[in-house]
Amino acid sequence: WGCRRNCHAKAKKYAMSAHAKSMVHHATALARYRAVRQQTADLVAPLSEADCQVQSMPDASPAKWHLGHTTWFFETFVLEPHEPAFKPCHPAFRVLFNSYYNGIGQKHPRPLRGQVTRPGLAEVKAYRAQVDERIAHLLRGPLPATVMAMIETGIQHEQQHQELILTDIQHALSCNPLQ
């Protein structure tokens, strides 16, 4: 009987330890998520709303679109399949901020992204804040490894768009005669 009690205690200790490790992993993922999302916000912070709207060539995208697109990625690939009672922030964003994900649905043409004046920059930032809060809430509970992997993919996707924001805005600003 002593062995059974000992084995049960060890199993219980391991199970609690695994849960604790999972929570630490979630907290680390949330911290990383928030840090990368903040880096993106910091990149566009010194830009005016007009700077975030401009599209200097068909192969570039406005900074405002990058902000919306990276948020759309988390909403579409993390929240939609895994958030109980999911509702999109704005149904039109599904098309507006889709890029090349043909399997997801329609997309707004890339060369015309700079012509989209609405939503405004403040609304796109509010969209980001809403999705960020929902991701944080999702990370407070148990999640399968596949969801954690998709969040990491989204984080890396966001970092890729940070590079695109820099190159796109550098090109746009280089075209401005008021340097």
Side-chain angles (χ1 to χ4, degrees):
W1 173 253
C3 179
R4 257 193 208 176
R5 191 177 310 148
N6 216 5
C7 292
H8 179 68
K10 285 182 182 178
K12 189 175 179 181
K13 181 180 176 183
Y14 174 75
M16 289 170 47
S17 176
H19 176 72
K21 286 180 185 175
S22 173
M23 293 288 83
V24 168
H25 180 64
H26 285 51
T28 302
L30 180 58
R32 179 163 154 65
Y33 172 87
R34 285 181 169 154
V36 170
R37 297 280 282 174
Q38 186 60 52
Q39 287 171 337
T40 306
D42 292 346
L43 284 176
V44 300
L47 302 175
S48 70
E49 182 152 357
D51 291 336
C52 290
Q53 177 64 44
V54 69
Q55 182 175 11
S56 58
M57 63 179 166
D59 289 336
S61 293
K64 180 178 77 172
W65 182 88
H66 288 293
L67 294 173
H69 171 71
T70 54
T71 303
W72 167 90
F73 183 95
F74 286 108
E75 183 182 39
T76 302
F77 295 111
V78 178
L79 294 176
E80 185 173 342
H82 303 289
E83 182 182 53
F86 169 82
K87 288 186 181 173
C89 293
H90 194 301
F93 290 177
R94 188 169 182 89
V95 174
L96 184 59
F97 296 123
N98 187 359
S99 58
Y100 302 107
Y101 300 90
N102 295 323
I104 299 300
Q106 295 179 321
K107 57 187 185 281
H108 188 77
R110 181 179 185 178
L112 304 178
R113 290 174 184 163
Q115 296 176 8
V116 178
T117 59
R118 294 184 185 159
L121 183 59
E123 189 176 349
V124 172
K125 288 180 177 181
Y127 172 45
R128 284 176 66 84
Q130 184 180 21
V131 168
D132 288 349
E133 179 55 38
R134 290 165 70 181
I135 291 288
H137 182 74
L138 192 68
L139 280 167
R140 289 186 193 112
L143 293 171
T146 55
V147 178
M148 297 303 290
M150 184 55 73
I151 290 171
E152 179 58 32
T153 299
I155 290 169
Q156 291 180 22
H157 175 253
E158 177 108 5
Q159 290 174 316
Q160 186 177 33
H161 278 271
Q162 290 171 353
E163 294 175 9
L164 292 170
I165 288 169
L166 287 173
T167 57
D168 290 351
I169 199 65
Q170 284 176 348
H171 183 264
L173 295 175
S174 76
C175 295
N176 188 327
L178 300 176
Q179 295 185 16

